[in-house]
Amino acid sequence: MLRRTLVHLSESPTAKAVVTRTPLRLMSRRFVPGETVEDFLRAAGEANALGLAVTGNYLGEAEHDERTARQAVATYLRILEGILGRGIRGNISVKPTQVGLEIGKDFLKDNLRPLLDRARERDVFIRLDMESSAWTQKTLEVFEELWAEGYRNIGPVLQSYLRRTLDDARRMNELGARVRLCKGAYVEPPHLAFQEKREVDRNYLEVAKLLLSQGVYPALATHDERIIDSLKRFARENGIGPEGFEFQMLHGVRRDLQQQLTREGYNVRVYIPFGESWYPYLMRRLAERPANVLFFVGSVVKDSPLGFLWPGNRRR
Ligand SMILES: Cc1cc2nc3c(=O)[nH]c(=O)nc-3n(C[C@H](O)[C@H](O)[C@H](O)COP(=O)(O)OP(=O)(O)OC[C@H]3O[C@@H](n4cnc5c(N)ncnc54)[C@H](O)[C@@H]3O)c2cc1C
């Protein structure tokens, strides 16, 4: 219930107008290290120093204006040059509706090609993030059309909550595409998506095993320790070495686990978003773990004039 409400709020302009004027802006810092390319590069350098690869995302989505969609790609080109210039171990993640999917598939492809070309020259991978089910089919079509044009430095994301995902994974394996698998962050209807966490997790494991055994360098994006342990075991038992896949996690979530996996010799990549449009991203992170809402409310109250009422502050 709370999850649904928070995801719906992530799409509400009124809620956005209210929330972005509150201290939530400061709180978004846990998940979003800053607003500029420089902020991203700093966070990326810090992650690299800890042995973590990164993927950079310039926050934005649901863009209808061609000029803004083009500006987003210009920013991605600046990120790419920053990654190359500073020797960052990293790649890029792009939301299709930020760079023009709502305007049209052809617009999006034209818009994206300069980024794909420059990234290909320097062997940098571009990930097409997956958004709500309204965009799944079109996003996969765009991906396949670019693949047919010969781009091999691009790959899609599949979401284990969608019922179609096992079939999509088979198709991606046939093509030889690099897939990121996540659970899915939007609210979807029962005819399209599993509603129970148990089913989403079961499907995650099934699809992940298929990608590990028949796919190309899959990215297993999850913070779910039970799933991670089970996939480590599956890989070991099937002779799939740690060089054959990577784990991915979000900036600011389970840093302990990110470090532990790195120490164990696994490839770990951290998704680092940056930019002004942090509101829907933050709301989806709160929705994933309602305990975060309490954590955030707690830090607002603690730092407010009512802070003396907060249990931890009373001792002061
Ligand atoms: C690298 C990466 C890329 C992603 N890309 C996409 C995408 O393209 N499209 C899409 O729909 N979704 C994407 N997601 C989000 C994903 O779909 C999930 O919503 C999110 O990862 C939470 O699911 P989980 O697998 O971690 O498992 P859950 O079952 O949600 O969580 C397992 C455990 O992880 C921890 N955890 C999870 N989320 C949080 C949080 N926000 N704060 C604190 N702790 C948390 C908690 O300990 C929780 O118990 C991405 C996630 C990652 C890690």
Side-chain angles (χ1 to χ4, degrees), residues 274-285:
F274 75 94
E276 293 270 352
S277 304
W278 49 266
Y279 169 77
Y281 182 83
L282 174 66
M283 295 309 271
R284 287 197 293 271
R285 301 297 72 84

Side-chain angles (χ1 to χ4, degrees), residues 130 159 180 183-185 197 222-223 285 288-289 292:
M130 189 58 84
Q159 299 153 318
R180 173 199 294 153
K183 289 189 188 175
K197 176 174 163 49
T222 181
H223 314 92
R285 301 297 72 84
E288 274 151 18
R289 191 162 174 263
N292 285 341

Side-chain angles (χ1 to χ4, degrees), residues 101-138:
L101 189 56
E102 294 198 8
I103 299 164
K105 280 198 302 179
D106 288 339
F107 174 86
L108 180 145
K109 285 186 288 178
D110 288 346
N111 196 18
L112 212 51
R113 275 190 207 96
L115 176 67
L116 286 170
D117 288 335
R118 177 69 180 136
R120 179 163 61 181
E121 270 169 35
R122 300 298 302 270
D123 206 16
V124 175
F125 184 77
I126 306 291
R127 177 73 65 189
L128 276 185
D129 281 354
M130 189 58 84
E131 300 171 80
S132 77
S133 61
W135 304 109
T136 310
Q137 183 58 31
K138 283 206 172 108

